[in-house]
């Protein structure tokens, strides 16, 4: 059975909200346990339960479309390469924020078609706010019962105006600031998950974000559609597009999320520097 992108997007929004309700019940009650993965990153039973719920819902609604979750087993590239489309999910983006009870975590669901994200849905459960975009149809925010189109902030003077830099509370700030080469004023905006930082840029609350360190394709796919449809971009640290499902590893390179396209971002940030890692 064939589904339109709009039909798929509507279902993804429904599933993201329902998963958010499940997550909030565990968050509010504290009824979850925390362990560490092989890479020493934390994972909770809330991540696992949300992942199982989203996978089940998507498989029931779209039985012919594979689902790939951060918290599920990952098929080998030889299998994934045969997929013309699939769902890519991060059940709780910002697990550390979930554990720390900052409220800055989100549910990410993307629909990837021909190795490029075509639909992105990001739900912020504590704020009951949904961000959604479909390729070539714009980006939107759903909050307080209203649907609002969103777009990146346009600067009056793109080459000189101060920039708002979304930055992680849990990443050494000096590492990010060391990558900035502009003399213009930079105003850091500390916040939580990768996807919420991207949404801040998509709706004009921040101008840019540099992510250093390990992330997976599930961290960027939904954000990429939303930011791109809002007029911005998501690029690797050499200012090239992020790719999906093209290598055995599902890890991302370091990446930028960038707002106003009139800014010469390569004059703001140092591209991949030697001996940085």
């Amino acid at each position: 059975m064939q589904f339109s992108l709009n039909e798929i997007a509507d279902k993804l929004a429904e599933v993201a909200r329902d998963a958010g309700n499940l997550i909030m019940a565990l968050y509010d009650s504290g009824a979850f346990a925390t362990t560490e993965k092989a890479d020493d990153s934390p994972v909770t039973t809330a991540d696992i339960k949300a992942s199982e719920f989203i996978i089940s819902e998507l498989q029931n609604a779209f039985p012919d479309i594979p689902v790939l979750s951060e918290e599920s087993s990952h098929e080998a590239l030889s299998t994934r390469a045969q997929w013309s489309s699939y769902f890519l999910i991060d059940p709780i983006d910002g697990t550390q924020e979930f554990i720390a009870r900052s409220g800055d975590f989100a549910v990410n669901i993307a629909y990837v078609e021909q190795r490029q994200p075509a639909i992105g849905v990001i739900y912020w459960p504590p704020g009951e706010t949904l961000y959604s975009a479909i390729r070539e149809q714009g980006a939107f925010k759903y909050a307080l019962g209203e649907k609002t189109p969103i777009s990146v902030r346009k600067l009056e003077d793109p080459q000189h105006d101060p920039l708002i830099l979304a930055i992680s509370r849990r990443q050494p700030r000096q590492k990010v600031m060391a990558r900035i080469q502009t003399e213009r004023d930079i105003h850091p905006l500390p916040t939580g998950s990768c996807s919420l930082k991207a949404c801040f840029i998509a709706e004009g609350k921040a101008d840019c974000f540099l992510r250093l360190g390990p992330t997976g394709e599930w961290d960027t796919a939904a954000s990429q559609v939303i930011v791109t449809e809002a007029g911005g971009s998501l690029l690797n640290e050499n200012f090239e597009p992020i790719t999906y499902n093209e290598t055995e590893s599902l890890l991302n390179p370091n990446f930028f999320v960038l707002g106003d396209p009139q800014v010469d971002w390569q004059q703001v940030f140092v591209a991949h520097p030697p001996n940085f890692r």
Side-chain angles (χ1 to χ4, degrees), residues 5-14 16-17 107 109-111 118-124 129-143 146-151 195 199 202-203 221-230:
L5 291 181
N6 291 84
E7 289 172 325
I8 295 173
D10 287 345
K11 185 62 179 180
L12 297 192
E14 176 189 326
R17 286 191 176 99
V107 178
I109 310 179
Y111 173 67
I119 301 170
V121 168
I122 295 171
Y123 183 60
W124 176 38
T129 300
L130 182 94
Y131 299 87
S132 179
I134 301 173
R135 182 182 55 211
E136 299 181 357
Q137 293 189 34
F140 298 89
K141 177 180 178 178
Y142 300 78
E146 295 186 1
K147 175 184 179 181
T148 307
I150 58 175
S151 61
S195 59
C199 289
E203 64 178 318
S223 296
Q224 183 166 327
V225 189
I226 292 168
V227 170
T228 301
E229 288 300 310

Side-chain angles (χ1 to χ4, degrees), residues 37-181:
K37 301 181 189 178
D39 63 1
D40 296 328
S41 63
V43 63
T44 71
T45 50
D47 293 80
I48 304 302
K49 289 179 180 179
S51 179
E52 291 172 347
F53 172 81
I54 295 169
I55 291 171
S56 176
E57 291 294 305
L58 295 181
Q59 288 179 334
N60 287 337
F62 310 104
D64 297 327
I65 303 177
V67 183
L68 183 61
S69 169
E70 177 181 12
E71 309 304 345
S72 67
S73 60
H74 301 151
E75 301 284 0
L77 180 62
S78 57
T79 298
R80 290 187 277 113
Q82 308 305 312
W83 297 350
S84 60
S85 63
Y86 63 101
F87 295 111
L88 185 56
I89 66 177
D90 187 349
I92 301 181
D93 178 48
T95 298
Q96 291 186 50
E97 301 295 335
F98 178 87
I99 295 167
R101 304 193 64 78
S102 73
D104 289 337
F105 55 87
V107 178
N108 296 356
I109 310 179
Y111 173 67
V112 182
E113 196 171 55
Q114 302 302 328
R115 300 188 178 183
Q116 284 298 313
I119 301 170
V121 168
I122 295 171
Y123 183 60
W124 176 38
E128 298 182 2
T129 300
L130 182 94
Y131 299 87
S132 179
I134 301 173
R135 182 182 55 211
E136 299 181 357
Q137 293 189 34
F140 298 89
K141 177 180 178 178
Y142 300 78
L144 302 174
E146 295 186 1
K147 175 184 179 181
T148 307
I150 58 175
S151 61
V152 299
R153 187 169 81 110
K154 298 299 176 65
L155 304 177
E156 290 186 11
D157 184 346
Q159 305 315 321
H160 300 94
D161 281 353
L163 297 173
I164 301 171
L165 172 71
I167 193 165
S168 173
R169 295 191 190 95
R170 307 188 185 282
Q171 186 172 50
R173 184 174 297 188
Q174 62 271 23
K175 285 190 175 182
V176 175
M177 302 306 288
R179 297 288 298 272
I180 295 172
Q181 60 184 349

